[in-house]
Each structure stands twice: as structure tokens, then as C-alpha cells.
Amino acid sequence: MTMPAYRRDRARLPAAERRRQIMEATAELIAERGFWGLSMQDVADRCGLTVPGLLHHVGSKDGLLVAVLEHRDAEDARSLAALLGVDDLAAPWAGGALPSGVGLRQMCAALVRRNAGQPEIVRLFAVLEAESLAPSHPAHDYFAARQEHILGVFAALAKDATDQPHALARQLVAMMDGLQIQWLRAPQTNDLVQDWADAANVLFADLDA
């Protein structure tokens, strides 16, 4: 496949806009090729920059990866807050207080709805999470901490509903991850939101009784 040509004589962008452009271009490329298949030249080309110009904004390839993940987390937190009708959801995912009035089942459903609307970003995280199982991967610590974070939030939301909140949290994450992989492989035949609703009816059956 012939890659499109990208001009390097574009008008200069404000720093914040340029950074967003870099984050989005990098996310697309990683979703296509994985981190190990990503080159700084590819990112620079897609953004109309030279490699030194790109490095001026991100510092290094590892720094770029961390910046992309943090950028996506912030975007997801804002979107999830809107779906849940709360003012700010950045705090609990960063270790802060949980939003009042939001239950575990509601939180899970909102997460699934958010992910169903952004398959390329879900693919990005799925690819990187698998690659980061190698301890040498620059996102290894990020994904380990992220998993513990999410499990902690789910367990905290489940503590009043079950005497095994951590076990339920692990089951919920495992089911979500598994359904997402099946959906990414065959999006035409798998409805992520409906599949999750069906699974939730089983996972929450004893809690709703």
C-alpha cells in the first residue's frame, strides 16, 4: 500500500494543537503496527514534521508512548464523566475519590459504551497491553499500574454489594477484555454493548437478587 505524502511546509500550529496532532497520529500508527513497528520518521511524516522537530515536542520514542497513553486516559475520563453525568472522573482513575451516586454496573456499562464508539483506540490499548507483558517494554509499568487502578476502583464500587469485591472486580475486567478482543476481530458480527449487557446479567445476577 502506498502511504500518502505529507508536506513539511504546513503553517506552524500552536503548541497545544501540534501536540494533539502528534498524539492522534501516533495512536493511529501504534494501532496499525504496534509500538515495536512504530518509527519516529512515520510519526513525523504524518504530522508534516522533521524527526528533530518531532523530538522537540516529545523528547523520545518512549516519552511519546507515555504521552499518548496519558492523553488517551484524559480524553476517556472526560467522555466517561459525560456518559455518567458527573463533573469529573479523572480523580478516581488517578487514585482520587469515587464519584457519588455511580454504581459498579453503571460504571461498567458506561465504559463499554465509550469503548464501543472508538474501536481504533481500543485496538491501540489491546496491542500495547499485550506487547507490554514483556518487562522491557516502556509501557510495562504503566499497564501494570493501570490494571491495579481499575481493579481497585471496581472493588471499591463492589464492596457494599459482595463480600468478595476483588474477585468480582477481576471477573469484570476479564470479561470486558475478552469481549473486546472478540469484537475487534469480528466487529460486523459482534455487538460489544449487547454482548456486555448479556454478560452483566450473569455476573450481577446474585447482586441484583
Side-chain angles (χ1 to χ4, degrees):
M1 181 177 68
T2 302
M3 293 296 293
Y6 295 92
R7 292 167 56 94
R8 290 195 174 84
D9 57 351
R10 296 174 178 173
R12 292 175 63 87
L13 295 175
E17 188 176 341
R18 176 67 78 186
R19 186 171 180 80
R20 174 178 289 275
Q21 178 196 46
I22 292 170
M23 297 301 102
E24 291 176 353
T26 304
E28 291 171 0
L29 287 164
I30 294 174
E32 294 170 8
R33 310 173 188 182
F35 177 73
W36 301 123
L38 177 73
S39 77
M40 298 297 277
Q41 185 66 64
D42 289 338
V43 179
D45 287 346
R46 189 159 292 196
C47 295
L49 295 168
T50 63
V51 171
L54 174 62
L55 291 172
H56 170 75
H57 290 279
V58 301
S60 66
K61 185 179 179 182
D62 287 1
L64 176 58
L65 175 61
V66 173
V68 167
L69 293 170
E70 291 176 345
H71 172 73
R72 292 313 318 175
D73 276 345
E75 291 289 311
D76 283 348
R78 282 191 287 270
S79 295
L80 193 57
L83 283 171
L84 290 168
V86 298
D87 292 333
D88 181 17
L89 202 66
W93 298 111
L98 295 169
S100 61
V102 176
L104 177 58
R105 187 163 186 166
Q106 183 185 6
M107 174 73 79
C108 291
L111 279 167
V112 171
R113 289 199 306 275
R114 166 62 176 164
N115 286 342
Q118 50 174 7
E120 292 307 318
I121 298 304
V122 177
R123 182 175 291 108
L124 164 71
F125 272 81
V127 168
L128 285 176
E129 189 162 15
E131 288 185 343
S132 72
L133 292 173
S136 60
H137 193 280
H140 177 80
D141 291 342
Y142 167 88
F143 276 103
R146 187 174 189 270
Q147 177 173 283
E148 289 305 307
H149 236 10
I150 293 172
L151 288 172
V153 169
F154 282 7
L157 290 171
K159 65 182 178 61
D160 293 330
T162 175
D163 59 358
Q164 295 184 309
H166 292 285
L168 178 59
R170 288 195 301 272
Q171 292 165 9
L172 291 169
V173 170
M175 181 64 76
M176 283 183 173
D177 287 350
L179 289 175
Q180 285 179 168
I181 293 297
Q182 293 178 40
W183 169 64
L184 289 172
R185 289 194 184 279
Q188 298 83 7
T189 57
N190 289 297
D191 182 331
L192 181 60
V193 173
Q194 184 58 55
D195 288 346
W196 170 254
D198 293 341
N201 286 336
V202 176
L203 289 168
F204 289 99
D206 291 340
L207 304 185
D208 293 340

